[in-house]
Amino acid sequence: MKTFLGRFRRLLRTHRRLAAALLAGAAVWAGLSALRPADPPTVAVLVATRPLTGGVTIGAEDVAVRQLPVAWLPTEYLDDPVQAVGRPATLNTPAGAVLVPASVVSRDSLATPGMAVLPVALTATAAGLIKVGDHIDLIASTDDGAAPVASAARVVAVLSSDPAKSGLVPTLGDDPVVLVELRPDALAKVAAAAARGPLGFGFR
């Protein structure tokens, strides 16, 4: 035993600088660990796993539930795939973005407060260029030529005759159909013009 203790003391004297450095490092590490703040609280949120195009129905493979810090999140967000899968996206969404109630078509997300939504058929020319979020002027045909019936109407959904591309299917014939956001006092005028036939449009 004495021989062992003697060897141990000689080893410490020989490597005392290394031992001191190791002890100092251990003390610093312990101090930093104690001072490190706790991991921020997280919650489950729904994010896009790949870019989503406005108007296209969201599939199960397009979204996933991830744990994200609460401080990073908006006030409202989706947290379950059932809230989005099977519904059309209201706007283009990049991969990794947190989905909020306004990200998918629902009764609450279609129109902003105080506004109304109306489906209108458009003339086929260039209608395929219209995307969710576009602002368009609506133009009706008249006996005298053409007349504007709405200005800068926001497109909130683009309806497709193919259920595989969109969960919103038009019932107004073969003309392209969009849902546009309008002031309530403009509804009657636009609806009357749309009843007479497809409306022309211009991009803003």
Side-chain angles (χ1 to χ4, degrees):
M1 184 66 179
K2 290 182 179 181
T3 302
F4 173 76
L5 290 176
R7 290 178 179 175
F8 182 70
R9 292 191 183 99
R10 286 194 298 273
L11 181 64
L12 285 179
R13 285 195 296 270
T14 302
H15 301 286
R16 61 181 179 275
R17 291 183 180 178
L18 176 60
L22 291 174
L23 290 173
V28 170
W29 179 84
L32 291 176
S33 298
L35 294 174
R36 187 181 66 185
D39 292 335
T42 63
V43 295
V45 298
L46 198 64
V47 302
T49 58
R50 56 189 181 188
L52 303 177
T53 302
V56 173
T57 299
I58 298 172
E61 70 281 359
D62 296 325
V63 294
V65 176
R66 303 273 170 78
Q67 290 287 331
L68 293 179
V70 175
W72 295 4
L73 302 177
T75 304
E76 295 182 322
Y77 50 84
L78 304 184
D79 57 10
D80 192 316
V82 300
Q83 297 171 307
V85 174
R87 296 185 178 184
T90 57
L91 69 168
N92 294 338
T93 304
V98 175
L99 298 185
V100 298
S103 298
V104 297
V105 171
S106 67
R107 182 171 298 179
D108 294 331
S109 69
L110 283 177
T112 52
M115 301 292 280
V117 171
L118 181 73
V120 295
L122 303 176
T123 55
T125 305
L129 298 178
I130 294 179
K131 305 295 183 185
V132 172
D134 286 344
H135 288 77
I136 59 176
D137 294 338
L138 297 175
I139 304 167
S141 297
T142 67
D143 295 337
D144 298 326
V149 292
S151 299
R154 183 173 68 91
V155 177
V156 297
V158 179
L159 282 64
S160 171
S161 59
D162 183 357
K165 294 183 179 179
S166 173
L168 301 175
V169 181
T171 58
L172 302 181
D174 297 328
D175 297 304
V177 177
V178 298
L179 300 184
V180 292
E181 183 182 72
L182 301 167
R183 299 190 311 274
D185 58 5
L187 278 178
K189 182 178 181 180
V190 176
R196 293 192 294 268
L199 300 179
F201 63 93
F203 288 101
R204 280 279 178 163

